[in-house]
Amino acid sequence: MAESDGGEASPSGGPGGGGKGSTDSPARPPPRPQLTKSRTISGSAASAFDRGGGGGGARDISSSSSILVRRSSTAPLQPAAAPRGLLTVAVDEPSYAAPNGGAMLDRDWCYPSFLGPHASRPRPPRSQQQTPTAAADRRNPTPAPPPPTVSISQREEEKSLASVVKRPVLLDERRSLSPPPQPQRAPRFDLSPYLVLMLFVTVTSFSLAIWQWMKVTVLQEKIRSCCSANTVDCKTAETFRINRDHGSDFINSADWNLASCSRMLVFAIPVFLFKYIDQLRRRNTNSIRVRSTEEEVPLKKRIAYKVDVFFSGHPYAKLLALLLATIILIASGGIALYVVSGSGFLEALWLSWTFVADSGNHADQVGLGPRIVSVSISSGGMLVFATMLGLVSDAISEKVDSWRKGKSEVIEVNHILILGWSDKLGSLLKQLAIANKSIGGGVVVVLAERDKEEMEMDIGKLEFDFMGTSVICRSGSPLILADLKKVSVSKARAIIVLASDENADQSDARALRVVLSLTGVKEGLRGHVVVEMSDLDNEPLVKLVGGELIETVVAHDVIGRLMIQCALQPGLAQIWEDILGFENAEFYIKRWPELDGMRFGDVLISFPDAVPCGVKLASKAGKILMNPDDDYVLQEGDEVLVIAEDDDTYAPAPLPQVRKGFLPNIPTPPKYPEKILFCGWRRDIHDMIMVLEAFLAPGSELWMFNEVPEKERERKLTDGGMDIYGLTNIKLVHKEGNAVIRRHLESLPLETFDSILILADESVEDSIVHSDSRSLATLLLIRDIQSKRLPSKELKSPLRYNSFCHSSWIREMQHASDKSIIISEILDSRTRNLVSVSKISDYVLSNELVSMALAMVAEDKQINRVLEELFAEEGNEMCIRSAEFYLYEQEELSFFDIMVRARERDEIVIGYRLANTDQAIINPEQKSETRKWSLDDVFVVISKGD
């Protein structure tokens, strides 16, 4: 016999199984249709329903003819309408309930009946599955009652329910859903108690006021009658007259004022009740809701929490609390004194105040009650004043601490603002102090995320004089507008954003956020912003955000280009240090109206104390033209770019007498192929390779020695935008190894390189100490290997010898034991000084040059265009020329004469170095003075690129 998973269908009288004697049973009212869970019953039961019969005959039919029947609804269903196959039967008898009491699991609905009983569901014995009603029907079979009469509305409802049941139902929908709980309505607020209370208070207050008014009127009449009768023994007048030691007449006494105040108070009480009765009701309702929803908290904790919130949310809460406590103490003490003593109320309040202010005033009190009260008031006064002293002390300490930590506002105008902190700050402050020396010193404000005392301590360790310049430190974040306003950012004449000590991308991202913060200043910026960048690829984004106010100095790019220029032209590092720093000569731009209409060839020799280098063109929106032609005529609005000692140390003068003479006919030597070694890997090494590609002659070799695998190098160079196979002048030679291991360095032909550049490796650039230690170790190893391979000076570089054969300075710049020039990149200026003093490296470039460039651009933003052109591989460049290109041996010429001769080569001579000196002179004095020159002398010139 086939059984369904839900158990057997009961054979007792169901809706479709009524018997012949169904009419004899009493008629029951039709049950209300409701949607219940479906159950699958055997096909025999379905056949019984089809035949119109019920009872136990349904159980005897074999399982082969079983039809799946699901009990879906309690609505009665006609047997004739039951389809063959899957039949949905509406039953109403409780005998068809599930054997587990009607509680069906969700998995029971999805389990197909033709697979047999559910494995995880226990099947109770048949006797337990039969309900008492079904057992009684088997013992006493009675005919089922006829189907009840169904109305039209009930039939429509049954159809809608049946359509819902026949629809495939999801598990979530098949669960028995309880009706949604009705939202609890707030209890209605009953106004009747409040109305009764308000009515009672109003009547009482009005009655009390009338009674007081009538009593006062009667007393006033008695006083007037006594005074008019001039009877001194009038007991009534004596009774209502107050001693003149404590006050005046009754009409002017404190009792009269108290009575007036109480009368006004009782009249005002009903008004307040009527006005705020609605708010009282709302607060009561809200408090009931809050108390019903939130967890019960002890009163002590709630009070402590409220007090904590009040004191933390109001800055003057402590003072207000102390003032309130003082007022309460004086008021309560005055009332107590008024009760225990015979003095008036105002007099008692005054005495209470004196006891609070001075605890020794209570010694004159007489009587037990006044003494107890006065001692209590004095004790409270001592506590109040002790608390006040503590608050005042805390306020003073907090203020002094804020001053010490740099939280106060800077009130300065036309100052220089530095945002951030790095190792370049020391040399930057030094250059700014030298620049402001001519005006008696300036103001430099430093805003960094460090403690003010630590910053001042580090600045105090710098070993140089600020020469009148004051440095103000403030602790704060440049990303917060409040901190920027604290340092008067809108009134600064220049803002310098230093790169952080993080990696390049993080540092540039922080610089970008700082620029966004600066653009958000509502007051606007008076000066320009100089941003130190770490990666050249991030420069366009910062300029896009900042606009015309932004000037960028890419530190890595500046150092890289200077290293290449110094490697190709020995001695150029010292020239750049003199020009970039404010200690000697530097660039200045100024307008001179008296020079309008003059040729640049004449302007060149018009300044006895400066060397003109270019013109700022007013007709081309301020474009700077370096090294213009002699025939260029200055127009109105043009400004002259010069190299001078300071901005107030030069001025045009009458044209001097110049002896031009004949320029020696010596052609510029051709470029020879060179062999250069890079030790280390930099982020912008692809830019350095492109600069070498522009400067070197065809056939040159660039050896790259680092720990980066060759395939990884090619990938990085390609990602940087360089075409490795498009190089025409240089050939890349890759060598893999560690630059601090002697065995790896000995595998290189170190004696054959014209120049060796020791780079700050990318892997250790985040740590300045580690990077400098690595560079220093590499430098010492290379020098030791070279000294053992080439102990003499016999080998000379063809390029160096042919190009500068008469220059002893160039030969001295080469090492004593070999022909290679070593350029070291040292980040820390202290390590740089150590290497320079020991003379183990020819030239040392450090971050100090970047600090000089930042200071120069901060003083004048236009100088950035000049530096960009001189650092670029195209356009004008700074060179070192031998004297043989401009004069003859032992020829007597002035510096103006040499400047005029150099114009035939389209060059501007800006300085020289004599053969017997160690220092070059930029912008020499006494330019009109003649002297003898040697062919071993060299000149520093600005030349147009090839």
Side-chain angles (χ1 to χ4, degrees):
M1 181 179 64
E3 288 186 352
S4 67
D5 182 54
E8 289 180 313
S10 176
S12 59
K20 297 180 181 179
S22 60
T23 55
D24 298 337
S25 60
R28 292 180 297 176
R32 183 178 179 179
Q34 58 180 359
L35 183 61
T36 60
K37 295 183 179 179
S38 302
R39 294 184 60 222
T40 304
I41 61 179
S42 61
S44 58
S47 301
F49 278 111
D50 290 338
R51 291 191 305 267
R59 295 189 191 91
D60 300 332
I61 303 176
S62 65
S63 60
S64 60
S65 60
S66 62
I67 302 176
L68 300 181
V69 181
R70 298 181 62 85
R71 184 175 66 88
S72 303
S73 174
T74 57
L77 187 66
Q78 297 296 332
R84 297 287 180 178
L86 183 62
L87 179 63
T88 301
V89 182
V91 295
D92 189 40
E93 291 294 331
S95 59
Y96 290 100
N100 57 353
M104 301 292 292
L105 300 178
D106 289 335
R107 63 172 181 263
D108 298 330
W109 297 103
C110 298
Y111 195 86
S113 59
F114 61 87
L115 295 179
H118 199 284
S120 62
R121 179 180 174 183
R123 297 183 59 85
R126 188 178 307 273
S127 60
Q128 297 179 4
Q129 297 181 10
Q130 296 175 356
T131 59
T133 305
D137 290 340
R138 284 193 300 268
R139 289 191 302 265
N140 300 318
T142 56
T149 305
V150 181
S151 62
I152 299 177
S153 60
Q154 290 179 352
R155 291 182 182 275
E156 293 178 354
E157 186 175 0
E158 292 169 5
K159 291 180 181 180
S160 63
L161 291 176
S163 62
V164 173
V165 172
K166 291 179 180 180
R167 178 179 58 87
V169 187
L170 300 177
L171 288 178
D172 294 341
E173 296 178 353
R174 296 187 179 189
R175 296 171 182 170
S176 58
L177 301 176
S178 60
Q182 296 294 332
Q184 297 181 358
R185 300 180 59 183
R188 186 173 181 180
F189 191 79
D190 192 6
L191 288 178
S192 56
Y194 290 93
L195 292 177
V196 173
L197 177 61
M198 187 178 66
L199 181 61
F200 174 74
V201 172
T202 303
V203 174
T204 304
S205 303
F206 184 76
S207 304
L208 182 59
I210 296 297
W211 176 76
Q212 287 184 349
W213 177 74
M214 294 176 61
K215 186 175 181 181
V216 170
T217 304
V218 172
L219 292 177
Q220 288 179 349
E221 290 296 333
K222 290 183 179 181
I223 291 174
R224 288 197 197 94
S225 61
C226 291
C227 293
S228 60
N230 294 325
T231 56
V232 183
D233 56 348
C234 183
K235 295 183 179 180
T236 306
E238 292 292 340
T239 304
F240 297 100
R241 185 173 298 273
I242 300 175
N243 192 352
R244 292 190 179 272
D245 295 337
H246 301 283
S248 59
D249 292 336
F250 174 77
I251 300 177
N252 298 324
S253 64
D255 295 338
W256 173 262
N257 296 333
L258 184 60
S260 302
C261 294
S262 62
R263 183 171 57 186
M264 296 176 60
L265 180 62
V266 297
F267 272 114
I269 288 177
V271 177
F272 277 95
L273 286 177
F274 180 77
K275 183 175 181 58
Y276 294 103
I277 190 68
D278 186 61
Q279 295 186 6
L280 181 62
R281 177 180 64 85
R282 292 178 182 176
R283 289 190 178 183
N284 190 13
T285 305
N286 294 335
S287 64
I288 292 175
R289 293 178 179 176
V290 170
R291 284 197 299 269
S292 61
T293 56
E294 69 180 5
E295 184 182 357
E296 193 68 25
V297 180
L299 180 62
K300 182 179 179 180
K301 291 185 177 181
R302 282 186 288 175
I303 294 176
Y305 172 72
K306 296 295 183 182
V307 172
D308 184 24
V309 171
F310 176 74
F311 276 92
S312 61
H314 300 78
Y316 300 103
K318 296 180 181 179
L319 294 178
L320 294 176
L322 181 62
L323 178 61
L324 180 61
T326 305
I327 293 175
I328 293 175
L329 178 61
I330 294 174
S332 59
I335 295 174
L337 285 176
Y338 175 73
V339 172
V340 300
S341 64
S343 59
F345 183 71
L346 295 180
E347 185 68 17
L349 289 177
W350 174 254
L351 288 176
S352 178
W353 158 247
T354 58
F355 295 158
V356 171
D358 187 1
S359 58
N361 288 336
H362 67 280
D364 298 335
Q365 293 297 312
V366 179
L368 180 61
R371 287 181 177 179
I372 294 176
V373 174
S374 60
V375 169
S376 302
I377 298 174
S378 299
S379 301
M382 288 188 290
L383 181 61
V384 167
F385 273 87
T387 307
M388 182 182 66
L389 290 177
L391 293 179
V392 172
S393 176
D394 291 343
I396 295 176
S397 300
E398 184 178 355
K399 192 64 177 179
V400 172
D401 187 63
S402 65
W403 292 340
R404 181 175 56 85
K405 291 184 178 180
K407 297 181 180 179
S408 60
E409 184 178 358
V410 175
I411 305 177
E412 294 289 345
V413 179
N414 203 30
H415 59 284
I416 294 180
L417 176 61
I418 300 177
L419 303 179
W421 187 278
S422 68
D423 58 288
K424 308 180 188 66
L425 183 63
S427 56
L428 178 60
L429 293 176
K430 178 181 178 181
Q431 296 300 323
L432 294 176
I434 297 174
N436 295 324
K437 179 182 178 181
S438 59
I439 58 176
V443 178
V444 179
V445 181
V446 180
L447 177 65
E449 298 181 28
R450 297 186 61 192
D451 189 70
K452 178 176 177 290
E453 293 180 341
E454 295 181 0
M455 291 188 287
E456 292 176 348
M457 187 179 301
D458 292 342
I459 293 175
K461 294 179 182 179
L462 301 177
E463 299 178 355
F464 61 85
D465 184 17
F466 286 102
M467 293 167 287
T469 298
S470 59
V471 181
I472 303 174
C473 298
R474 287 293 180 267
S475 179
S477 175
L479 303 176
I480 302 176
L481 291 178
D483 292 342
L484 291 176
K485 293 180 180 179
K486 182 174 61 177
V487 293
S488 301
V489 63
S490 60
K491 301 178 182 178
R493 63 184 174 94
I495 303 172
I496 303 176
V497 181
L498 295 179
S500 60
D501 295 333
E502 304 168 327
N503 60 57
D505 294 333
Q506 293 179 355
S507 177
D508 291 347
R510 182 181 180 277
L512 178 61
R513 293 196 299 268
V514 173
V515 172
L516 288 174
S517 300
L518 293 175
T519 56
V521 178
K522 295 181 180 180
E523 295 81 3
L525 301 178
R526 176 184 299 182
H528 59 284
V529 181
V530 184
V531 183
E532 179 193 0
M533 304 294 296
S534 300
D535 197 338
L536 188 63
D537 297 334
N538 300 326
E539 182 184 17
L541 181 60
V542 176
K543 288 186 176 181
L544 177 64
V545 173
E548 298 180 354
L549 291 176
I550 301 299
E551 295 292 336
T552 58
V553 175
V554 185
H556 234 55
D557 184 63
V558 171
I559 295 295
R561 292 177 182 271
L562 285 177
M563 290 184 70
I564 292 176
Q565 291 188 12
C566 295
L568 299 179
Q569 301 187 51
L572 200 59
Q574 184 253 325
I575 305 300
W576 274 113
E577 288 183 359
D578 292 342
I579 292 179
L580 290 178
F582 287 94
E583 294 180 347
N584 299 306
E586 55 271 358
F587 290 104
Y588 292 100
I589 299 178
K590 187 182 293 186
R591 166 160 170 72
W592 300 97
E594 57 269 27
L595 299 180
D596 292 346
M598 186 180 295
R599 297 172 57 252
F600 182 78
D602 298 332
V603 174
L604 190 65
I605 57 177
S606 298
F607 293 90
D609 301 318
V611 178
C613 301
V615 179
K616 180 182 178 181
L617 306 178
S619 58
K620 294 186 178 181
K623 179 183 178 181
I624 296 178
L625 178 62
M626 292 283 295
N627 191 11
D629 296 333
D630 287 344
D631 295 333
Y632 177 79
V633 179
L634 268 70
Q635 306 295 327
E636 183 180 359
D638 289 350
E639 302 180 19
V640 181
L641 170 67
V642 301
I643 296 179
E645 182 70 21
D646 209 339
D647 57 351
D648 57 351
T649 59
Y650 70 98
L655 295 178
Q657 294 293 329
V658 179
R659 187 164 54 99
K660 183 176 181 181
F662 296 97
L663 184 69
N665 189 14
I666 297 179
T668 302
K671 292 183 178 181
Y672 291 93
E674 295 198 33
K675 192 175 182 180
I676 299 177
L677 172 64
F678 279 0
C679 287
W681 183 273
R682 286 166 54 107
R683 296 188 311 273
D684 59 345
I685 198 169
H686 56 278
D687 295 327
M688 298 180 66
I689 295 175
M690 296 306 298
V691 173
L692 284 176
E693 170 71 13
F695 281 136
L696 294 180
S700 300
E701 291 184 1
L702 175 60
W703 288 52
M704 303 176 66
F705 179 71
N706 49 70
E707 298 181 84
V708 181
E710 183 176 351
K711 293 184 179 180
E712 184 70 14
R713 299 180 197 178
E714 295 180 355
R715 185 187 65 80
K716 290 185 176 181
L717 293 177
T718 305
D719 294 343
M722 192 186 76
D723 185 10
I724 301 178
Y725 304 100
L727 301 176
T728 58
N729 295 336
I730 61 176
K731 174 186 177 182
L732 297 181
V733 179
H734 297 282
K735 294 294 180 179
E736 185 176 349
N738 194 337
V740 295
I741 299 178
R742 186 184 184 91
R743 183 179 68 259
H744 294 176
L745 289 174
E746 288 178 345
S747 63
L748 300 175
L750 298 177
E751 69 279 2
T752 62
F753 294 107
D754 297 300
S755 300
I756 299 177
L757 278 69
I758 302 177
L759 310 177
D761 199 88
E762 181 183 16
S763 60
V764 293
E765 67 177 357
D766 295 340
S767 175
I768 295 178
V769 177
H770 193 184
S771 176
D772 289 350
S773 301
R774 186 183 181 90
S775 300
L776 187 60
T778 304
L779 174 62
L780 294 174
L781 290 174
I782 291 177
R783 278 305 187 201
D784 184 59
I785 295 173
Q786 286 180 341
S787 63
K788 293 181 178 181
R789 292 181 179 179
L790 293 174
S792 63
K793 301 182 181 180
E794 296 178 356
L795 296 178
K796 300 295 179 182
S797 171
L799 171 64
R800 299 298 189 266
Y801 186 79
N802 293 335
S803 301
F804 307 100
C805 57
H806 297 288
S807 177
S808 61
W809 182 36
I810 300 300
R811 290 195 299 269
E812 291 175 359
M813 290 298 164
Q814 300 175 6
H815 196 270
S817 61
D818 61 82
K819 66 185 182 69
S820 296
I821 297 176
I822 297 181
I823 308 296
S824 305
E825 181 183 5
I826 304 296
L827 302 180
D828 194 350
S829 59
R830 294 170 294 184
T831 310
R832 180 246 183 201
N833 297 333
L834 178 64
V835 176
S836 299
V837 171
S838 60
K839 296 182 180 181
I840 59 176
S841 178
D842 296 292
Y843 307 103
V844 180
L845 296 178
S846 66
N847 287 330
E848 190 172 1
L849 291 175
V850 180
S851 302
M852 294 177 180
L854 289 173
M856 182 170 290
V857 178
E859 292 292 333
D860 191 353
K861 62 181 295 186
Q862 305 172 100
I863 303 300
N864 201 21
R865 308 282 85 77
V866 180
L867 299 180
E868 288 177 354
E869 182 171 354
L870 293 178
F871 289 154
E873 59 270 16
E874 298 179 356
N876 292 275
E877 60 180 349
M878 195 172 296
C879 305
I880 298 177
R881 301 291 192 197
S882 177
E884 61 183 356
F885 293 106
Y886 310 103
L887 49 88
Y888 298 95
E889 180 68 29
Q890 298 299 319
E891 185 177 5
E892 294 186 358
L893 296 172
S894 66
F895 190 77
F896 277 141
D897 297 339
I898 298 176
M899 291 178 66
V900 173
R901 287 188 180 184
R903 292 304 296 167
E904 297 183 13
R905 299 173 54 89
D906 293 331
E907 297 174 350
I908 299 177
V909 180
I910 63 174
Y912 62 88
R913 179 183 172 180
L914 302 178
N916 56 354
T917 59
D918 296 332
Q919 191 74 19
I921 300 175
I922 305 298
N923 182 31
E925 301 177 356
Q926 307 297 330
K927 295 181 177 63
S928 300
E929 182 181 352
T930 59
R931 57 172 303 162
K932 288 184 179 180
W933 300 90
S934 171
L935 294 182
D936 291 335
D937 300 332
V938 293
F939 292 93
V940 183
V941 302
I942 296 177
S943 174
K944 292 184 178 180
D946 297 337

